[in-house]
Amino acid sequence: MIKLTIDGREVELERPVTVLEAAKRVGVTIPTLCYFEGLPNFGGCRLCLVEVERLPKLQTSCTLMASDGMVVRTETEQIRAARRAMLEFLLINHPLDCPYCDKAGECTLQDLVARYGPEAGRFAEGKRKHPESLDDPIIVRNMERCVLCTRCVRMCEDLQGAYAISVSGRGGHSLIEPFSGGRYDCEYCGNCLTVCPVGAIMSRLHRHSYRPWFVEREVETVCGYCGVGCSMVLQVREDSIVRTIPRFGLGLNNGLLCVRGRFGYDAVDGEGRLTTPLIRVEGRLEPVGWEEALAFVASRLGEIKDSHGGRAVGAIASGRCTNEDNYMLQKLMRFVIGSNNIDSAARFHYAPAEAFLESVFGQGITANLIPGIADSDGVFVTGGDPTAINPVLGLQVRAARRSGGKVIVLGPPGGLKRFVDHELVPMPYSDEVVLSAIVGGLMEAGRSSGENRAVEERLKELRLPSEEELSAAGIGPEALARAVDDLLKMTNPVVILGPEIMDGARASKRLFLVGAVAYLMNARIYLLSERPNYQGVMDMGCVPDLLPGGGPIGLEMLRDRIEAVLGLRVPEEGGLTLFEMVDEAERGGLRALYVMGEDLLFSLPDRARVQRALGRLDLLVVQDIYLTETAAMADVVLPAAAWSEKDGTFTNLERRVQLLRRGRYPRAGREDWRIIADIGGRLGMEKTYRSAEEVWEEVTHASPLHAGLGYSEIAGGGAVWPYHSEPLKGTEAGFAVQGLGELPGVEAPGGPYLMPERPLFHSGTLSRRSRALLSIHPEPYLVIPPSLSEELGVTDGGRVRVVGAKGTMVLKVRIDPDQREGTVLLSNTFEGANFAGLVGFTADPVTGCLTIEDNTVRLERVDDEAL
Amino acid sequence: MKTVHATELMEKVLLKNIESPNSTHIEEYRRVGGYRAIEKALRMPPQQIIAEVKSSGLRGRGGAGFPTGMKWDFASRDPKFPKFLICNADEGEPGTFKDRPILERNPHLLIEGMVISAHALRSERGYIYLRGEYPYAKVVLEKAIEEAYEAGFLGERILGGDFGFHLSVHQGAGAYICGEETALIESIEGKRGQPRIKPPFPVNVGAWGMPTVVNNVETLANIPFIVEIGGEEYSRIGNPDCPGPKLFSVSCCVERPGVYELPMGTPLKEIIYDHAGGIKGGGRLKAVIPGGISTPVLTPEKIDCPMDFVSLPKYGSMLGSGAVMVFDERVCMVKVCWRAMRFFEHESCGKCTPCREGTGWLRNILERMETGNGWKGDLELLRDIASSMAGKTFCPLGDGAAGVVLAFIKDFSEEFEYHIENKRCMVTG
Amino acid sequence: MKIQEEIKGYLERYPDRRGALLPALYIAQRKAGWLSQEALEAVSEALDLPKATVRGVATFYAMYRQRPMGRHLIQLCTNVACMIFGAERLVDLLKERYGLEPGGTTDDGRFSLVIMECIGACDRAPAMLVDTDFHPGLTEEKIESILEGYE
Ligand SMILES: Cc1cc2nc3c(=O)[nH]c(=O)nc-3n(C[C@H](O)[C@H](O)[C@H](O)COP(=O)(O)O)c2cc1C
Ligand code: SF4
Ligand code: FES
């Protein structure tokens, strides 16, 4: 126990901390500039000077450890004079442009000078000049205002791990700069903006239009881009969002955000936001009033139901919509129309992966807390780059490595590049060979505990690769052995699983093997989620065979329960998955499709086929915020409210239910749940709802998982599903896996494989509505490895024609030295230049996930003159 | 009248045989008794060597005068391995060139000292952090290291035993602050040379987080001699509070500038008048900086001060690197002060506010004064700025800069005032 | 030779790759006399270090050059001892005789001049380095004849 006195107050400490932190505990705030909680201490600004009895000199409290018997004073005349002197030093080269500076009002330097002086500067010489840099689309750097606290650099290196900026020069000539000296080449997390205490690094998005006192309201909400579910604060003025910021101590992201969360908030204000409902009249979409539109949809749905039965109607739910929205769509389908045909894009990877893993290991197997990753001593990542798919979760991996954990990546490491101990990049579609070898290595080391007999029985069937087969898959046996050695040393490991593990045939086998790795290592599993609410979509029953709460539709007990709660009947007949709905539509069996917040023509491969299928429908209703490609085909388009415009809940990949709060009112659209409830009401649904909270209220009764979980419980942030409910681990059900006994050889494809890129700066098609995100990543490009660029004779930025099985596109190339041989990447973001337009697909026979087919492509150089 | 001092009879230890044209060659070094201490030392248990160094009373020659044996003891008690031994050959303090003769003319003495020290510390990796401005020393040292490897004094299994030590030169690149030991460590690690927060001290958390001993060239060059004659015997040389031979680099207005090896405690006056031949051209002494530019300037009445770590503070200055800079009546103190400040401004690492901003501000004012544009009140402003810096900078560089100004304006205020009032220099007109 | 190759011998001297950064920068600088963005990128690639980090380090040290240099680099000390013995006159002389400003390069690209802090030659002041050659005890006549030896 350490006891000391600070400004006459007694402080008792269990473990040693700095005097600054000790002071904070007893409510004494010592002024600082370079100190920032969570960053390594620096001790450069010299503002936190304090007097310590028996020490002759003033001491910097941010670097001095508190020790027993210390007597500290933090505000004496001597200290005030010293602080005044430090501030005067800082001001000699600092422009006195507070009236003009965007930081005014939330500038630490300004505040400190107001408190300590000096009243007037005595520096008569010319100030150091350095023009403001507007070279970057997002970040404005004004180095005249910089106080060289280096908080931004420490943030960039030590927390974000991007290493994009550094101090250059020395002494009075020091500057904070990215490598180019101008434009940033970075992850654009913007976390440097949060920590800059002055107006040296600021966002360009609200340049000269933001002042802290302009902010009328601050609203805490959750990010709408991915399944991490970062908390953020919307700052609102005159019903517009002027800025989103993270806050230390708020949410699991604790002060950090990624580029999408921080800068992508303007995606709701893009050009072409729907302003009114539309109905197709003589082939053209014409604006109509809400009444007319709602009545039209209700009557058409009613007619189709009456003439063809509920099974002729289907619905697509959305990972971007709230639980309340999705629940309501599910309710409309199941309980009003009488159809189990409801599914979503979670079907591509997230839902089947989770369903499969749960069938093997029990319910809730992937419900693990994100901050636990940083504390683990080993991370095994496969199936995608967490720093791009779920960036703030990716930071946890970097943090684990920084504190000594080992990181093993199977597949291209992407943003983990500098944070990997074992980088296992196999030949394309050879992951299962490497996974088999890893599992073999773990079993050989005696890691089979016998706890899960079903798994261990199946593992006996596994055919292990020979050393030659492993080498042919691109991994040296020694490299693999070293990785396995490190896996075996982990005591508190984590397995992170991304969507790409499902790419290619035998998805179930790879999933099973990753699950087996986690089982044998006794690791926690995290499933990456590309949308903010894929988990919620599943939990709300937007899956053909699951009811709200995730119970199988076939279980009588559960059906009875929900029927009792709602007073409505669950349809008997099994429902169709998204892929089956496309098939059925093509065949003419599905007559009506209600699509909420999903651009099917974009997200599903084989555009022509999907277009054909949708074209055959009698009724296509699309509810969205923009006139997407799919909406453009619709018979009725209903404008919805967007993420920052509504209340509700999202369930993140940890299964934490979090509150989404309205920042501003939608200009035209309505909340999705409200639109659907209105339609339901017209079709005989009796229950009415006044708010999202009332919808949620019903969910907590309908879903056994959410029992007792009201908004007030959720508001605390600790609502990890299930809440007051059944235990996580269920019993092991039977499960099917394909191909454990075979090991396909590596075939040489006829051309490079086209794979989907999951870029950091974009997220589906929504992000292309954000001017900010577009300014960073404005146009599509095909990522190719250097060997291909030589072969084709194209340079960076040159063009190629990509000839795929399902389409042809001309694209710019970007040569990436880290791009895996034999593969090229294209994202699914931009109009006319997207992955989905080029390749085919099928559904995996075991898991039901999306399997990309026919994705070898032919590339031809296109000379610019030819264009 | 010339004072005869016992020191003249002292045999040279550090500069021994450097006049020989082959002094850098290993054969020549061995011919005059080199690499004998190493044999003795490798037979001694490490702890015993440390004990000898402790009893010798050797204090670091890099400027701070920290007891070397104690430093070694701390590092050796730390259970972490590997440990690093770094020779500080950054010699950047203006006026200092005392390590240069060892580096350029007696490299094997340093290598021998380092191998013995490494054995004492059980360190297997060493670096000589050599300033970039000494390209010739780099050639000499690398050649000598090669010779030492060939002769089996470096590498695995030195002299057939089970101790191994690897040594290489790490070339600095023009940053005075890298002489400060934690900045030096950052620089060896491939970083910007900015000082680290202490504690932890390098003896516990040094290079790559491992226990690290940083010693000056001259400090390490004393080790073979201590091993040879024993700590007790060594402690009788010079001032018993900080014994041993010491290198003084004497420059500016003296007849015979150069490096002198003399016992610690030799009076400043004797160094200037007896060894360096007195004031150049028979001029009158005006001021002396006794320990390199960062140490406070002394006025002539203080030159009977013994030159050692304990005596100089009593006279208001410090021994520093033992770089004696002698100024006669023809030298303008304002100009010296300005030039010193230009140095500090240039070398400030930029980490802490008072040094980064203060050195530039001080230089600005001094420059104005020096060029005849001083204003009334400038002297007070100088004093105020320097006092605001003093004791508040992160490392001693900024503190030193403040101390220089404070000393100059205290003892030579008329000269500064003359500059302000007459818009010209008092000595050069 | 690529930096990768030349750096090999240095890599084993340090426990991690970053340790070899200062030597690698020297190697890169030897090729063109200064460190261009491309040179820094090459170093960053050779050592697998972030580019911004490499730049931050390179710009901290005065002897890594941020601008193209002439064929010969004059590093003239003007610190106290050299100043007392006339280094400033030599600076003026270089300007008059060669049109060479501190920090500048002659029009014909023959010389660049950098003003140095103390180069440890105070007993033989004033002094300079030309490339890696040390020239002490300079006078106005001597400096000219020395420089004539550098084409
Ligand atoms: C700004 C500054 C510059 C220094 N420069 C040197 C130097 O050039 N050479 C040196 O040996 N010590 C220098 N030192 C002292 C070192 O920090 C350290 O005390 C010394 O290398 C320890 O060696 P020693 O114990 O053998 O003296 C410097 C210290 C400071 C604060
Ligand atoms: S006093 Fe401060 S700025 Fe100056 S060199 Fe030391 S740490 Fe750097
Ligand atoms: S907060 Fe302590 S020195 Fe900056």
Side-chain angles (χ1 to χ4, degrees):
Chain A
M1 181 73 90
I2 302 163
K3 279 190 194 162
L4 66 159
T5 319
I6 300 177
D7 289 347
R9 292 174 223 194
E10 299 264 321
V11 193
E12 295 194 353
L13 301 166
E14 290 294 337
R15 41 178 201 89
V17 297
T18 60
V19 169
L20 182 83
E21 281 152 6
K24 211 188 279 177
R25 301 212 181 155
V26 286
V28 174
T29 316
I30 299 171
T32 54
L33 265 178
C34 69
Y35 169 84
F36 199 87
E37 198 182 333
L39 296 179
N41 288 348
F42 186 67
C45 74
R46 320 306 280 175
L47 273 161
C48 65
L49 293 166
V50 295
E51 276 175 36
V52 181
E53 259 178 30
R54 286 201 295 276
L55 293 180
K57 292 204 285 184
L58 295 179
Q59 303 287 319
T60 44
S61 56
C62 71
T63 61
L64 181 70
M65 296 308 277
S67 64
D68 208 34
M70 256 183 190
V71 179
V72 181
R73 269 177 291 273
T74 75
E75 282 282 350
T76 63
E77 205 25 66
Q78 186 198 5
I79 294 169
R80 294 182 65 85
R83 291 192 186 137
R84 184 158 52 244
M86 295 309 124
L87 292 166
E88 185 175 21
F89 283 135
L90 288 173
L91 290 181
I92 64 175
N93 279 306
H94 191 100
L96 301 175
D97 63 349
C98 303
Y100 176 79
C101 175
D102 278 358
K103 196 76 176 188
E106 54 181 13
C107 170
T108 316
L109 183 63
Q110 193 184 39
D111 297 348
L112 288 173
V113 172
R115 180 156 156 210
Y116 291 101
E119 282 87 52
R122 296 176 291 173
F123 180 72
E125 288 72 21
K127 289 181 191 273
R128 212 161 32 224
K129 284 281 157 219
H130 198 83
E132 193 161 53
S133 162
L134 291 166
D135 300 313
D136 193 82
I138 299 282
I139 297 169
V140 206
R141 254 178 339 114
N142 186 325
M143 283 301 118
E144 288 171 8
R145 298 185 188 139
C146 175
V147 292
L148 284 167
C149 66
T150 71
R151 275 155 51 155
C152 54
V153 178
R154 283 176 284 147
M155 168 56 82
C156 187
E157 294 184 350
D158 296 297
L159 277 187
Q160 181 68 20
Y163 296 91
I165 48 174
S166 66
V167 185
S168 67
R170 180 168 87 197
H173 299 285
S174 307
L175 299 171
I176 309 293
E177 284 182 320
F179 178 70
S180 74
R183 203 186 152 114
Y184 283 64
D185 174 9
C186 76
E187 300 181 345
Y188 284 103
C189 62
N191 291 325
C192 53
L193 307 180
T194 314
V195 296
C196 180
V198 294
I201 308 184
M202 286 192 293
S203 162
R204 242 179 123 161
L205 306 188
H206 45 74
R207 184 170 156 80
H208 300 326
S209 64
Y210 177 88
R211 286 288 181 280
W213 56 88
F214 286 177
V215 174
E216 294 161 0
R217 238 162 8 102
E218 290 200 333
V219 180
E220 280 178 20
T221 191
V222 187
C223 177
Y225 276 106
C226 89
V228 173
C230 291
S231 295
M232 52 168 60
V233 175
L234 308 176
Q235 295 185 316
V236 186
R237 180 196 196 193
E238 288 174 359
D239 212 32
S240 326
I241 291 158
V242 286
R243 183 168 82 161
T244 57
I245 51 170
R247 200 155 268 173
F248 285 84
L250 178 67
L252 60 95
N253 49 316
N254 191 26
L256 304 176
L257 280 180
C258 84
V259 54
R260 304 188 291 241
R262 187 183 296 267
F263 299 117
Y265 57 91
D266 64 341
V268 302
D269 285 327
E271 240 169 80
R273 187 74 202 267
L274 289 169
T275 53
T276 164
L278 307 168
I279 291 184
R280 188 168 301 276
V281 183
E282 290 169 11
R284 295 211 357 241
L285 284 168
E286 301 287 351
V288 294
W290 272 105
E291 267 315 299
E292 187 182 344
L294 293 173
F296 179 78
V297 173
S299 72
R300 291 290 290 126
L301 281 175
E303 284 162 28
I304 293 172
K305 177 190 167 190
D306 291 343
S307 48
H308 302 278
R311 52 187 288 252
V313 182
I316 305 300
S318 171
R320 287 215 195 278
C321 289
T322 62
N323 286 327
E324 291 75 1
D325 299 332
N326 284 302
Y327 172 80
M328 194 57 69
L329 185 62
Q330 178 269 161
K331 185 171 179 188
L332 177 75
M333 275 302 117
R334 285 217 164 89
F335 297 99
V336 179
I337 309 268
S339 164
N340 281 319
N341 296 340
I342 181 157
D343 206 5
S344 71
R347 170 68 45 209
F348 296 168
H349 307 103
Y350 188 83
E354 186 174 308
F356 179 87
L357 290 170
E358 293 198 338
S359 75
V360 180
F361 299 105
Q363 209 182 6
I365 183 71
T366 65
N368 293 301
L369 301 189
I370 290 173
I373 300 173
D375 301 331
S376 68
D377 66 347
V379 184
F380 178 71
V381 180
T382 185
D385 174 7
T387 68
I389 297 173
N390 290 133
V392 171
L393 181 149
L395 295 187
Q396 294 272 327
V397 182
R398 291 177 178 171
R401 175 110 195 312
R402 202 172 285 117
S403 51
K406 295 272 190 224
V407 175
I408 300 176
V409 179
L410 172 60
L416 289 176
K417 190 163 176 262
R418 287 182 205 290
F419 301 86
V420 200
D421 295 287
H422 303 275
E423 188 179 314
L424 307 171
V425 188
M427 305 294 287
Y429 296 115
S430 301
D431 299 31
E432 74 178 82
V433 180
V434 186
L435 279 170
S436 301
I438 292 175
V439 168
L442 294 175
M443 289 199 298
E444 199 182 320
R447 279 305 177 94
S448 314
S449 62
E451 250 175 74
N452 191 326
R453 288 202 175 282
V455 170
E456 294 193 9
E457 276 307 310
R458 296 305 304 265
L459 280 177
K460 287 186 189 145
E461 294 166 37
L462 183 65
R463 167 140 134 55
L464 299 178
S466 64
E467 295 206 340
E468 292 71 42
E469 283 169 315
L470 193 58
S471 304
I475 304 296
E478 308 77 40
L480 189 103
R482 280 195 300 272
V484 170
D485 264 356
D486 270 344
L487 281 174
L488 287 167
K489 282 189 206 125
M490 299 174 182
T491 57
N492 180 22
V494 152
V495 168
I496 296 174
L497 187 58
E500 279 143 39
I501 198 68
M502 327 266 291
D503 285 351
R506 289 179 307 282
S508 60
K509 176 173 175 186
R510 284 186 305 278
L511 271 178
F512 176 69
L513 291 176
V514 177
V517 171
Y519 167 71
L520 295 170
M521 288 169 44
N522 201 12
R524 284 164 290 152
I525 303 182
Y526 294 79
L527 193 55
L528 300 183
S529 169
E530 295 176 89
R531 294 284 183 273
N533 203 27
Y534 273 162
Q535 184 63 44
V537 166
M538 294 176 68
D539 294 346
M540 292 304 109
C542 296
V543 188
D545 53 352
L546 298 179
L547 289 168
I553 212 155
L555 271 186
E556 214 161 306
M557 194 182 78
L558 292 173
R559 280 176 38 182
D560 291 351
R561 186 192 142 130
I562 198 165
E563 287 175 355
V565 170
L566 299 180
L568 295 164
R569 296 204 41 81
V570 179
E572 300 280 330
E573 198 174 4
L576 302 175
T577 66
L578 193 161
F579 307 127
E580 288 162 345
M581 284 189 248
V582 172
D583 287 346
E584 262 317 286
E586 210 179 355
R587 250 181 266 133
L590 192 78
R591 297 299 179 107
L593 189 63
Y594 196 118
V595 180
M596 172 175 81
E598 187 61 58
D599 191 355
L600 288 179
L601 279 184
F602 235 95
S603 43
L604 272 170
D606 202 348
R607 159 90 46 99
R609 180 174 148 216
V610 179
Q611 216 157 6
R612 202 159 56 235
L614 298 186
R616 299 212 53 187
L617 293 165
D618 293 342
L619 175 69
L620 175 62
V621 182
V622 174
Q623 184 168 305
D624 212 314
I625 62 173
Y626 288 99
L627 192 72
T628 62
E629 281 79 354
T630 311
M633 286 188 72
D635 300 293
V636 187
V637 180
L638 302 169
W643 149 79
S644 50
E645 299 163 345
K646 57 188 177 188
D647 293 330
T649 56
F650 277 162
T651 307
N652 78 350
L653 63 87
E654 310 170 282
R655 305 174 188 209
R656 186 188 299 273
V657 182
Q658 306 195 99
L659 277 187
L660 199 71
R661 290 195 185 85
R662 173 187 290 125
R664 63 158 215 210
Y665 284 89
R667 301 285 184 260
R670 296 186 177 176
E671 292 123 303
D672 293 88
W673 64 263
R674 197 183 289 278
I675 303 173
I676 299 165
D678 279 350
I679 293 169
R682 286 175 166 78
L683 287 167
M685 187 173 81
E686 280 168 20
K687 178 112 176 65
T688 56
Y689 309 84
R690 278 167 308 181
S691 65
E693 189 167 2
E694 282 188 17
V695 179
W696 183 253
E697 174 68 24
E698 182 171 315
V699 172
T700 61
H701 296 297
S703 156
L705 286 176
H706 300 90
L709 179 57
Y711 271 17
S712 51
E713 280 86 356
I714 297 173
V720 178
W721 173 93
Y723 191 80
H724 304 163
S725 187
E726 285 97 314
L728 277 183
K729 288 245 177 190
T731 48
E732 298 139 23
F735 59 90
V737 191
Q738 198 181 24
L740 284 182
E742 17 175 321
L743 205 57
V746 183
E747 322 153 21
Y753 289 111
L754 178 67
M755 310 266 202
E757 187 195 6
R758 295 183 162 81
L760 171 62
F761 301 127
H762 282 288
S763 170
T765 56
L766 177 64
S767 55
R768 74 168 192 239
R769 316 284 179 177
S770 156
R771 270 177 315 249
L773 296 176
L774 272 182
S775 71
I776 301 171
H777 182 157
E779 52 177 6
Y781 51 73
L782 186 77
V783 185
I784 65 173
S787 60
L788 256 178
S789 80
E790 277 164 38
E791 203 177 295
L792 295 164
V794 283
T795 50
D796 215 45
R799 282 165 204 275
V800 290
R801 177 175 294 107
V802 188
V803 183
K806 305 290 176 179
T808 297
M809 287 170 195
V810 174
L811 293 168
K812 268 196 182 170
V813 300
R814 171 178 286 190
I815 301 163
D816 180 352
D818 296 321
Q819 180 56 27
R820 166 150 63 160
E821 289 301 319
T823 61
V824 297
L825 298 181
L826 178 59
S827 76
N828 223 359
T829 303
F830 293 95
E831 222 166 326
N834 61 323
F835 171 78
L838 290 169
V839 301
F841 76 97
T842 171
D844 179 70
V846 180
T847 63
C849 73
L850 178 77
T851 305
I852 304 294
E853 281 189 333
D854 301 330
N855 62 331
T856 51
V857 291
R858 194 155 45 82
L859 305 181
E860 299 158 2
R861 187 179 76 207
V862 178
D863 293 321
D864 273 343
E865 306 85 76
L867 278 177
Chain B
M1 203 186 73
K2 197 172 174 195
T3 37
V4 180
H5 199 279
T7 60
E8 296 219 329
L9 307 171
M10 192 185 88
E11 213 186 304
K12 288 203 167 54
V13 173
L14 307 168
L15 303 184
K16 180 173 171 183
N17 201 35
I18 63 162
E19 302 308 330
S20 151
N22 295 324
S23 67
T24 60
H25 294 178
I26 192 163
E27 303 85 46
E28 177 66 7
Y29 179 69
R30 298 185 78 168
R31 192 185 64 76
V32 296
Y35 285 118
R36 238 182 269 153
I38 207 175
E39 297 192 15
K40 181 172 174 192
L42 289 194
R43 286 193 302 267
M44 289 160 73
Q47 218 42 56
Q48 196 191 329
I49 303 178
I50 297 180
E52 289 297 334
V53 173
K54 271 185 164 171
S55 72
S56 76
L58 173 66
R59 288 172 60 164
R61 305 297 196 235
F66 192 83
T68 305
M70 213 200 279
K71 187 187 276 190
W72 287 14
D73 205 27
F74 289 142
S76 111
R77 280 171 200 274
D78 193 295
K80 294 195 293 295
F81 279 93
K83 297 187 202 293
F84 294 101
L85 172 65
I86 299 172
C87 167
N88 189 342
D90 198 41
E91 187 154 83
E93 176 75 18
T96 313
F97 46 93
K98 65 171 184 85
D99 293 337
R100 190 169 183 157
I102 299 177
L103 298 166
E104 290 187 352
R105 307 291 310 156
N106 208 0
H108 284 288
L109 176 67
L110 174 61
I111 295 171
E112 184 174 12
M114 285 192 78
V115 178
I116 297 172
S117 310
H119 171 57
L121 295 160
R122 287 175 297 159
S123 160
E124 293 174 357
R125 189 79 193 65
Y127 303 94
I128 299 172
Y129 189 97
L130 178 68
R131 68 185 310 215
E133 294 86 342
Y134 282 178
Y136 178 65
K138 178 165 186 267
V139 176
V140 172
L141 282 170
E142 287 186 336
K143 173 84 190 341
I145 288 173
E146 205 180 301
E147 287 177 343
Y149 266 103
E150 274 165 21
F153 296 121
L154 283 173
E156 305 296 328
R157 309 184 58 79
I158 293 172
L159 297 178
D162 51 15
F163 170 65
F165 182 61
H166 291 274
L167 181 62
S168 47
V169 175
H170 183 98
Q171 193 180 10
Y176 164 67
I177 187 62
C178 291
E180 194 283 330
E181 55 183 358
T182 60
L184 182 152
I185 287 170
E186 290 278 295
S187 183
I188 286 209
E189 289 183 6
K191 297 175 181 161
R192 295 165 57 82
Q194 288 187 324
R196 294 178 176 173
I197 294 170
K198 293 194 255 188
F201 293 96
V203 286
N204 301 117
V205 183
W208 293 280
M210 292 297 151
T212 301
V213 164
V214 181
N215 274 132
N216 173 254
V217 174
E218 187 188 341
T219 313
L220 292 165
N222 268 288
I223 302 299
F225 183 57
I226 294 175
V227 167
E228 232 167 277
I229 67 165
E232 279 295 319
E233 186 67 20
Y234 180 95
S235 72
R236 282 195 272 275
I237 304 169
N239 183 336
D241 287 333
C242 45
K246 172 80 192 97
L247 297 175
F248 296 102
S249 58
V250 188
S251 64
C252 298
C253 312
V254 289
E255 281 293 342
R256 288 195 301 274
V259 181
Y260 296 92
E261 180 178 343
L262 300 166
M264 258 308 177
T266 304
L268 179 53
K269 188 172 181 182
E270 191 185 312
I271 296 176
I272 299 172
Y273 286 96
D274 298 348
H275 301 287
I279 305 304
K280 191 173 178 143
R284 268 185 45 205
L285 179 66
K286 179 175 182 179
V288 190
I289 292 177
I293 203 92
S294 309
T295 59
V297 62
L298 296 175
T299 45
E301 64 279 9
K302 295 186 177 166
I303 61 166
D304 47 359
C305 172
M307 289 287 282
D308 57 60
F309 290 113
V310 286
S311 306
L312 270 158
K314 297 180 195 152
Y315 286 74
S317 191
M318 287 176 291
L319 180 63
S321 57
V324 179
M325 304 169 82
V326 179
F327 306 115
D328 68 14
E329 294 269 301
R330 285 159 295 185
V331 178
C332 168
M333 291 294 105
V334 179
K335 189 156 187 187
V336 170
C337 188
W338 159 76
R339 187 59 188 83
M341 202 47 56
R342 207 180 109 174
F343 163 78
F344 288 118
E345 181 189 19
H346 187 259
E347 299 302 334
S348 169
C349 80
K351 176 166 185 161
C352 74
T353 307
C355 172
R356 179 184 68 240
E357 305 295 342
T359 51
W361 195 359
L362 290 171
R363 193 266 307 146
N364 252 307
I365 298 169
L366 288 162
E367 193 159 302
R368 273 205 336 252
M369 271 186 193
E370 160 59 22
T371 54
N373 295 305
W375 301 324
K376 220 169 148 303
D378 272 353
L379 213 52
E380 291 70 49
L381 189 52
L382 283 178
R383 191 174 297 118
D384 217 43
I385 297 168
S387 322
S388 293
M389 293 166 64
K392 296 173 201 75
T393 59
F394 188 94
C395 85
L397 187 151
D399 225 13
V404 165
V405 169
L406 290 172
F408 269 93
I409 60 178
K410 177 168 140 282
D411 286 333
F412 300 94
S413 60
E414 339 74 276
E415 240 184 288
F416 285 79
E417 270 156 15
Y418 188 94
H419 266 257
I420 296 172
E421 253 159 55
N422 301 290
K423 311 269 177 220
R424 61 188 166 84
C425 180
M426 197 163 104
V427 281
T428 59
Chain C
M1 205 168 23
K2 287 193 77 172
I3 293 179
Q4 236 103 351
E5 293 298 312
E6 287 181 60
I7 199 72
K8 269 201 187 124
Y10 286 94
L11 282 175
E12 60 202 38
R13 295 183 178 183
Y14 304 94
D16 66 11
R17 301 176 76 83
R18 183 157 183 181
L21 178 51
L22 266 65
L25 289 168
Y26 269 121
I27 289 169
Q29 175 155 291
R30 265 209 304 277
K31 308 208 179 257
W34 70 294
L35 290 170
S36 59
Q37 293 283 96
E38 291 73 37
L40 295 177
E41 279 178 277
V43 170
S44 123
E45 202 178 307
L47 292 178
D48 194 18
L49 292 172
K51 287 188 289 188
T53 305
V54 170
R55 183 164 189 263
V57 172
T59 55
F60 182 84
Y61 296 94
M63 292 175 83
Y64 297 128
R65 312 289 169 199
Q66 313 300 316
R67 263 169 296 156
M69 290 284 132
R71 291 194 295 284
H72 302 288
L73 178 60
I74 304 169
Q75 304 184 74
L76 179 68
C77 177
T78 65
N79 207 297
V80 174
C82 290
M83 176 183 84
I84 289 177
F85 292 107
E88 288 169 321
R89 271 200 324 278
L90 300 179
V91 175
D92 291 342
L93 177 101
L94 291 177
K95 191 146 132 200
E96 286 156 23
R97 173 72 182 74
Y98 297 95
L100 193 51
E101 298 267 1
T105 301
T106 53
D107 291 338
D108 58 3
R110 184 171 162 206
F111 292 117
S112 288
L113 171 63
V114 171
I115 300 298
M116 297 298 277
E117 294 304 341
C118 184
I119 60 173
C122 316
D123 55 342
R124 289 165 284 175
M128 68 175 173
L129 286 161
V130 179
D131 303 331
T132 54
D133 307 332
F134 175 63
H135 299 284
L138 299 175
T139 59
E140 296 189 31
E141 302 75 54
K142 240 171 124 181
I143 196 170
E144 283 212 48
S145 73
I146 290 168
L147 291 181
E148 286 319 306
Y150 292 88
E151 250 325 293

